[in-house]
Amino acid sequence: MIRKFTLCYLLLLCSIVALARQSGKITGRVVDSNGGILEGVSIQVKGTTRGAYTNVKGEFEIAAEGEVTLMVTFLGYNTQEVKARPGNQVQLRLVPKNQDIDEVVVIGFGKQKKATTTGAINYVKAEELKDMPTASVTNALAGRLPGLISQQRTGLPGSDAALLYVRGFGTFNTAGQEPLVLVDGVERRFNDVDFNEVETISILKDASATAVFGVRGANGVILITTKRGVAGKPRVSMTVDNTLQFVTNLPQYLQSYDYATLYNEAYLNDGGDPNFMPFSQEALQKYKDHSDPYFYPDVNWHKEILKDYARQTQANVSISGGTSRARYFVAATYLDQDGLLKYGNYNEYNTNSTFKRYNFRSNVDLDVSPTLTVSMSLSGKHSRQTWPGNGHFFTDNPLGLIFWNMGRWAPTTAPVYNPNGSLGAFIEDNNIVGDVSRTGYSDNFRTDVEANIDVRHKMDYAIKGLSFRGKIVFDTYFYYTERRLKQYETFYYLRDPATGEPIYRATSKVETPIAFTSTGVNADKHVYGEAALDYSRTFDGKHAVTGLALFYADRLREAAAYPFSKLGWVGRVTYGYKSKYFGEFNMGYNGTENFAKGKRMGFFPSYSLAWILTEEPWMRPLSNWLGYTKIRFSRGKVGNSLIGNRRYLYLPDTWGNPGSAWNYRFGTSGTAVASAFELNLGNPDVTWETAWKNNLGLEFNLFNGITLNVDLFSEKRDNILLSRQDIPSLIGQTSLPPVNMGVMENKGYEIELKYDYKASKDLTFNIGGNYNFARNKILAMTEPQKPYPWMARTGKRYGERFGYIVEGFFNSQREVDEWHDQTTFGTVQPGDLKYRDMNGDSIINQFDIAPVGHPDVPEITYAISGGVKFKNWELQVQFQGVDNTTTFVNQLGGWDFYNSAKVQKHHLGRWTPETAATATYPRLTTSSTTAKNNYQPSSFWARDASFIRFKNLTIAYSLPKAWLQRLKMQRVRIYVNAANLYTWSKFDWFDPEIRSAAANLYPQMKNYNLGLNIIF
């Protein structure tokens, strides 16, 4: 019996030991594709309800019996299955379904993983912009980001940055339409930020993303993040670009023979005597055969003044690296932009329009302890912009007069050079060659120094997941301008009627030596500080909670002006459940001293929700083609405090005396006594604009390579600042106080589609594009009641063009007589434009003015890009386009003989009795003025400025790895790229992107570049 009991006991013990060996715990660690820790990853024993989540270190522990299959799932990553036994330590590396999901996105006052964002945010990496051969980052953004409108209106060196708008216009207040721009979290200019310093550029578009900026967030926010060092060996990168710049499109002016022929025709159209023609047949022949170039000149000012191309050179060197405790990124860049002007060999100095810039950046991160990190960022920029001495002083269009005269001065006026080499005299005794090369020069210097110190301290010892950070910023901006001017002499070339000998008659202009004339000096200082508490923690592997509480203060002093001050509090709370349900609340409580006490601060809340549908179990059957689907919605309130150039609108202006004409006179002698009267009135109730924004977004990842994002948005903005138009002048106050009475709405949508495909290890390609639409409507603007609805701006789009609707040309006097009365604009005759009678009273006047075109900023923008990589070769292309946009031309931009000016190629299509059936332009006149019929604002002058531009082409070759190993280099990349190669547009009078009715801006440029990048 005892033996049987002992035997049974031993058998039971062995069974227990064997069973124990099959039971126990499996441990492991989960990281992402870059080796980063993944917290909250779901680990489940397949076929059971047993599971666990990874902790803050990415580690997990799960009970199991025998060999089991573990299912590993996490938001945005491919599900993995792995077999394991108790006692095993499993090391897992998850692969993202979509590489973008794994990216960290920069948001307002923080960062988030793209998969967890609930707002409308798009970003682009600097790597995607590196192949744009432009001097300004702003120009490289065209077509790159959905919802971002980029419009480059000039190619002037140093002033060629594009205007940027986010989702069109939400206000008709022109002082506050552009987005807020932050560089490394601080409001700064970024036109001069170098490409090579940039890590990412993000745009925040909805209220969820911008509410934290409060009174500065209504127009969207652009965030630029510069590069920082990564632990590792020193990495040296050197890049050199050499670019040739050519004009995209200039006005096509006609030369002397065509000019004189058309002028004679215009003279007869104006009722001139055919016996006394302005240009005789002999003159026409000489203009045609160029047999007497001094008395019958044929001047092409574009050829005389502009070079065929200009050069641009850019060189950059950067060094980055560090240890686990100290990391650094240091970069220096030199940019040299030459201009198109021919300045000749007359001087020892350069009078061309040039721009030189030197950039330096140093970003250092130091881990003082495991819990304390100190970061120091220093940026320095120094630039010099030069233009001829007669360029406008401190204006946005310094060469406007030169380009104006190139369009104004007829080619028949005088020779550029007389036979003895002296300068010929043109209008007002001037000569454009002299204006460019012999008036001295203007030098404009700018030096920016920007410094940050950031501190981050982990406070897990107090509360797990809590951390503190602070920032102190000190920026200085120094501007110095000096003009060294001179005068040049010109001569009229004549012949002695008796002897035929040449006579050089001096003009009023006398040659003078160059002399120092004037200077301009300004210095700005910017101080900013912020302090914040961050909280981030995941509970039970399911509940992810983050929080932010931040305070900031900002002060900018511009020269001797009163400082601009802002301060505010920022709050954010986010919650995520099982990595598929997300909620976020943001708030900003901030303001500015520009408003009256009690109205300076405002509260701007927003909320947003998101749902990852593909994380639901019932969506798993679709996982073979639907890899990722997210729905997000946001609503919130934001503001805009940029409501005008005048400061302290709540205060009345001082009393003033506008001049002796307003003096009082008393007594019989009428002695004048200085008077005083009130200028602009103040409004103590003036405040910021308020915008309520809604956004619905859908994100898809299809067939393991296709990404589709769709956003629908709407905005209603009120409290728009304006000057009342509905108060009659009879009240005796011409300068009414500004009021917040404007209301406007803005709606639209954005679609982004991408496809990436890897055919083999040597061949990959990608294609993508975006299409964006934004349309606004003015709901209220205190407009006086109009007699007819088509005259009202209320209910129309901001910037919509108004004028007379053209019904064609009058082809006979009978048509003129039978048409509505157009004598409001003087004598009307065959060949003139005929206008629609909107109100049916048979009189064409101001009551017939109606919408005739789209706004000048496009409602529709789109882009298509693609690329192929085969082994060491790359090919990238981009096309960018705009639609629903109109440019209004007048004067030198399109009129014939305006102010005795030239005529252009499109004037050859003018109306004549013989060309009545095919004419594309009205009859010509020698004096085109706004008093005449054809030169009224009308649909004829509202030109369709939509276009498609071949924006970028890049062909690159990288040396094979075997060669690099021999050379001890990481990369050698040689590339050829081009920008603005070709433009398709119905409008060809000048470049359709330029917004100058007179076409007197420095032209847009197309760039061809050869570059080399070497990394050690």
Side-chain angles (χ1 to χ4, degrees):
M1 186 68 179
I2 295 176
R3 290 179 181 178
K4 291 182 180 180
F5 179 80
T6 302
L7 180 61
C8 291
Y9 177 79
L10 291 175
L11 289 174
L12 178 61
L13 183 61
C14 290
S15 299
I16 293 173
V17 172
L19 184 61
R21 288 179 178 177
Q22 297 295 320
S23 303
K25 294 181 179 180
I26 301 172
T27 60
R29 188 168 180 266
V30 183
V31 297
D32 61 20
S33 56
N34 298 317
I37 294 171
L38 291 178
E39 180 184 3
V41 178
S42 172
I43 315 294
Q44 187 174 6
V45 178
K46 189 173 183 179
T48 73
T49 59
R50 196 181 314 141
Y53 291 91
T54 56
N55 59 21
V56 292
K57 296 181 180 180
E59 299 171 345
F60 70 90
E61 181 181 278
I62 190 169
E65 297 178 359
E67 186 178 72
V68 296
T69 299
L70 301 181
M71 293 182 61
V72 185
T73 58
F74 191 58
L75 169 65
Y77 291 82
N78 293 320
T79 298
Q80 288 191 24
E81 294 187 4
V82 59
K83 292 184 177 182
R85 291 177 174 275
N88 289 163
Q89 287 190 338
V90 181
Q91 298 294 324
L92 294 171
R93 185 181 296 269
L94 297 188
V95 178
K97 298 176 182 177
N98 180 353
Q99 291 295 332
D100 289 344
I101 299 298
D102 204 24
E103 298 289 344
V104 174
V105 180
V106 178
I107 61 174
F109 301 105
K111 295 180 180 181
Q112 287 181 352
K113 276 203 169 185
K114 187 177 186 300
T116 66
T117 58
T118 57
I121 302 174
N122 290 93
Y123 68 98
V124 61
K125 299 178 183 177
E127 190 72 12
E128 301 175 48
L129 305 176
K130 68 180 185 303
D131 290 326
M132 278 296 292
T134 62
S136 174
V137 177
T138 59
N139 296 323
L141 294 177
R144 299 285 181 177
L145 292 166
L148 182 67
I149 299 173
S150 171
Q151 196 171 66
Q152 184 183 359
R153 298 186 175 185
T154 177
L156 180 67
S159 300
D160 55 353
L163 296 175
L164 300 178
Y165 305 101
V166 175
R167 290 181 167 176
F169 288 149
T171 177
F172 51 79
N173 168 27
T174 57
Q177 295 175 331
E178 297 185 25
L180 172 67
V181 177
L182 303 179
V183 179
D184 287 336
V186 183
E187 187 173 358
R188 289 166 171 159
R189 282 168 35 104
F190 84 114
N191 294 342
D192 293 334
V193 174
D194 180 54
F195 279 96
N196 299 281
E197 300 175 3
V198 175
E199 183 70 31
T200 61
I201 299 176
S202 303
I203 60 169
L204 317 183
K205 298 179 287 188
D206 67 341
S208 172
T210 64
V212 291
F213 298 101
V215 294
R216 300 182 295 161
N219 300 321
V221 181
I222 300 177
L223 304 177
I224 295 90
T225 304
T226 60
K227 295 178 180 178
R228 309 201 73 84
V230 178
K233 295 181 179 179
R235 183 177 185 268
V236 180
S237 175
M238 295 187 296
T239 304
V240 177
D241 290 290
N242 198 328
T243 307
L244 298 182
Q245 298 184 306
F246 298 82
V247 172
T248 57
N249 192 7
L250 283 170
Q252 301 176 61
Y253 298 117
L254 301 180
Q255 291 308 115
S256 290
Y257 174 76
D258 288 326
Y259 172 88
T261 300
L262 295 187
Y263 195 89
N264 280 348
E265 181 182 310
Y267 171 77
L268 294 176
N269 289 341
D270 291 343
D273 188 342
N275 296 313
F276 298 95
M277 299 293 285
F279 296 95
S280 66
Q281 289 299 318
E282 177 188 5
L284 290 176
Q285 183 59 39
K286 289 184 180 295
Y287 286 132
K288 189 173 184 178
D289 60 25
H290 302 98
S291 58
D292 191 351
Y294 292 107
F295 283 93
Y296 299 91
D298 187 14
V299 178
N300 185 327
W301 282 115
H302 284 163
K303 289 186 177 179
E304 295 291 339
I305 300 300
L306 303 180
K307 299 185 293 186
D308 293 333
Y309 61 87
R311 289 186 178 275
Q312 175 181 294
T313 301
Q314 188 167 9
N316 167 267
V317 60
S318 65
I319 306 173
S320 63
T323 67
S324 59
R325 303 216 27 203
R327 299 161 298 282
Y328 58 88
F329 172 82
V330 181
T333 302
Y334 169 70
L335 171 70
D336 185 356
Q337 278 185 288
D338 196 17
L340 286 170
L341 301 182
K342 295 179 180 178
Y343 57 92
N345 299 314
Y346 310 109
N347 316 299
E348 296 178 355
Y349 48 85
N350 187 345
T351 63
N352 194 2
S353 55
T354 63
F355 180 70
K356 290 181 171 61
R357 188 184 69 212
Y358 305 85
N359 290 60
F360 172 80
R361 177 171 293 278
S362 173
N363 291 343
V364 178
D365 300 295
L366 179 64
D367 293 336
V368 179
S369 71
T371 61
L372 178 63
T373 300
V374 177
S375 299
M376 293 163 284
S377 303
L378 177 66
S379 171
K381 297 183 284 286
H382 176 72
S383 63
R384 177 186 182 184
Q385 188 177 24
T386 302
W387 55 68
N390 76 335
H392 294 182
F393 195 50
F394 275 132
T395 67
D396 294 331
N397 187 18
L399 301 186
L401 180 60
I402 290 174
F403 279 90
W404 175 274
N405 288 338
M406 279 195 280
R408 179 188 175 197
W409 292 0
T412 59
T413 306
V416 179
Y417 300 97
N418 295 317
N420 66 350
S422 62
L423 291 177
F426 287 76
I427 297 175
E428 298 175 351
D429 299 337
N430 292 316
N431 185 301
I432 305 179
V433 169
D435 289 343
V436 169
S437 61
R438 305 186 188 183
T439 58
Y441 61 93
S442 293
D443 260 342
N444 305 272
F445 299 91
R446 178 184 175 114
T447 301
D448 299 351
V449 178
E450 299 166 338
N452 292 16
I453 296 180
D454 293 79
V455 176
R456 292 176 294 278
H457 178 51
K458 297 179 182 179
M459 302 175 64
D460 291 319
Y461 56 85
I463 299 176
K464 189 175 181 179
L466 184 68
S467 63
F468 168 83
R469 57 186 163 98
K471 181 192 296 286
I472 298 176
V473 174
F474 184 76
D475 301 335
T476 60
Y477 307 99
F478 179 76
Y479 317 84
Y480 175 72
T481 298
E482 68 176 37
R483 303 183 81 191
R484 297 181 180 271
L485 306 182
K486 68 181 295 295
Q487 195 171 348
Y488 61 92
E489 57 184 356
T490 57
F491 295 86
Y492 288 103
Y493 176 57
L494 307 170
R495 282 186 184 144
D496 189 313
T499 63
E501 292 296 316
I503 299 174
Y504 298 93
R505 192 181 75 195
T507 66
S508 60
K509 299 180 75 67
V510 179
E511 189 80 23
T512 61
I514 191 167
F516 181 83
T517 305
S518 62
T519 62
V521 179
N522 282 310
D524 302 341
K525 293 181 180 179
H526 178 218
V527 179
Y528 173 86
E530 72 177 37
L533 287 174
D534 290 294
Y535 179 77
S536 178
R537 190 171 177 184
T538 300
F539 298 91
D540 298 329
K542 301 178 183 179
H543 309 278
V545 179
T546 70
L548 166 68
L550 180 145
F551 171 79
Y552 71 85
D554 186 293
R555 172 162 290 192
L556 171 65
R557 180 182 291 276
E558 295 182 340
Y562 289 109
F564 296 82
S565 300
K566 297 182 286 288
L567 61 82
W569 287 263
V570 172
R572 177 187 294 124
V573 176
T574 73
Y575 172 73
Y577 178 68
K578 287 189 174 181
S579 298
K580 58 182 175 182
Y581 308 115
F582 301 93
E584 184 170 322
F585 174 79
N586 289 276
M587 60 79 63
Y589 180 74
N590 51 31
T592 169
E593 94 295 346
N594 214 28
F595 305 118
K597 290 183 178 180
K599 295 183 178 294
R600 293 176 177 171
M601 304 295 292
F603 179 66
F604 302 92
S606 74
Y607 71 89
S608 54
L609 303 169
W611 178 21
I612 312 294
L613 277 74
T614 41
E615 292 302 310
E616 297 290 354
W618 47 268
M619 289 289 289
R620 287 175 185 168
L622 306 178
S623 61
N624 59 331
W625 65 273
L626 185 60
Y628 177 79
T629 301
K630 179 201 279 188
I631 300 176
R632 46 183 170 77
F633 173 78
S634 68
R635 175 172 171 77
K637 174 185 174 184
V638 285
N640 176 28
S641 61
L642 298 176
I643 56 176
N645 296 323
R646 179 182 158 198
R647 300 288 305 277
Y648 309 120
L649 295 173
Y650 61 93
L651 297 175
D653 278 2
T654 57
W655 294 69
N657 179 2
S660 59
W662 292 80
N663 289 345
Y664 290 106
R665 298 183 182 275
F666 296 96
T668 57
S669 63
T671 302
V673 178
S675 64
F677 70 95
E678 193 174 27
L679 299 176
N680 295 317
L681 299 178
N683 178 4
D685 294 321
V686 71
T687 185
W688 52 78
E689 299 175 358
T690 300
W692 281 97
K693 296 191 176 190
N694 302 292
N695 194 96
L696 176 64
L698 302 171
E699 301 177 13
F700 302 94
N701 183 14
L702 310 171
F703 302 106
N704 199 28
I706 299 176
T707 301
L708 173 63
N709 299 323
V710 180
D711 275 271
L712 309 174
F713 63 87
S714 67
E715 171 189 350
K716 184 178 180 182
R717 190 175 306 195
D718 53 24
N719 283 347
I720 298 176
L721 192 76
L722 51 81
S723 295
R724 298 194 66 160
Q725 306 173 45
D726 56 350
I727 304 297
S729 59
L730 294 176
I731 67 170
Q733 178 65 42
T734 58
S735 299
L736 296 170
V739 292
N740 297 104
M741 296 184 66
V743 183
M744 186 165 157
E745 68 176 15
N746 186 38
K747 299 178 180 179
Y749 58 86
E750 300 157 0
I751 301 173
E752 182 182 25
L753 182 64
K754 296 179 181 179
Y755 177 57
D756 295 284
Y757 180 70
K758 185 174 183 179
S760 67
K761 68 174 184 178
D762 294 328
L763 177 63
T764 62
F765 69 86
N766 64 84
I767 188 170
N770 59 75
Y771 185 91
N772 316 281
F773 174 79
R775 172 168 290 176
N776 58 58
K777 181 192 291 187
I778 298 173
L779 302 180
M781 57 181 300
T782 71
E783 183 180 27
Q785 185 174 356
K786 302 293 184 181
Y788 302 103
W790 56 81
M791 297 178 63
R793 267 58 173 177
T794 305
K796 308 297 193 305
R797 295 169 291 179
Y798 169 74
E800 190 166 358
R801 304 299 189 169
F802 278 71
Y804 297 98
I805 299 175
V806 173
E807 299 279 24
F809 301 117
F810 290 111
N811 290 319
S812 66
Q813 186 60 44
R814 180 179 178 180
E815 286 189 21
V816 175
D817 297 337
E818 294 179 351
W819 193 254
H820 314 293
D821 182 4
Q822 285 189 198
T823 56
T824 302
F825 316 120
T827 302
V828 180
Q829 63 188 70
D832 283 355
L833 298 173
K834 56 183 177 181
Y835 302 128
R836 181 182 299 175
D837 180 20
M838 294 292 295
N839 62 354
D841 64 356
S842 293
I843 300 175
I844 305 300
N845 53 26
Q846 72 271 23
F847 301 119
D848 299 302
I849 293 177
V852 294
H854 297 289
D856 65 348
V857 172
E859 292 184 318
I860 295 174
T861 61
Y862 55 91
I864 299 174
S865 60
V868 177
K869 292 184 179 181
F870 179 68
K871 294 186 177 180
N872 300 319
W873 288 92
E874 299 175 51
L875 172 66
Q876 296 287 336
V877 296
Q878 183 196 17
F879 294 87
Q880 175 241 343
V882 303
D883 206 346
N884 282 17
T885 181
T886 298
T887 185
F888 223 103
V889 293
N890 60 32
Q891 301 180 0
L892 295 181
W895 294 358
D896 48 306
F897 301 111
Y898 171 76
N899 198 15
S900 302
K902 297 180 178 181
V903 281
Q904 300 180 42
K905 183 179 178 180
H906 64 264
H907 294 128
L908 293 174
R910 81 283 185 197
W911 185 97
T912 66
E914 295 75 25
T915 64
T918 59
T920 57
Y921 191 87
R923 69 172 179 90
L924 301 178
T925 176
T926 58
S927 176
S928 54
T929 68
T930 55
K932 292 189 174 183
N933 178 82
N934 294 339
Y935 308 102
Q936 304 304 308
S938 72
S939 57
F940 182 81
W941 303 111
R943 292 283 160 165
D944 183 0
S946 59
F947 64 83
I948 300 175
R949 202 187 293 278
F950 193 171
K951 191 66 178 178
N952 178 247
L953 169 67
T954 298
I955 301 174
Y957 177 75
S958 299
L959 293 187
K961 291 183 178 180
W963 295 15
L964 296 175
Q965 291 174 354
R966 296 193 195 104
L967 296 172
K968 296 184 179 180
M969 296 179 180
Q970 295 184 35
R971 182 169 75 175
V972 175
R973 185 173 183 263
I974 305 168
Y975 51 92
V976 178
N977 48 29
N980 300 336
L981 280 83
Y982 191 80
T983 303
W984 294 267
S985 178
K986 296 178 182 178
F987 181 71
D988 60 359
W989 296 4
F990 46 87
D991 192 287
E993 198 169 5
I994 286 180
R995 289 297 185 267
S996 170
N1000 66 322
L1001 290 175
Y1002 193 100
Q1004 276 264 30
M1005 307 299 288
K1006 62 178 71 174
N1007 302 336
Y1008 298 91
N1009 178 69
L1010 174 64
L1012 173 67
N1013 173 240
I1014 301 175
I1015 299 178
F1016 297 94

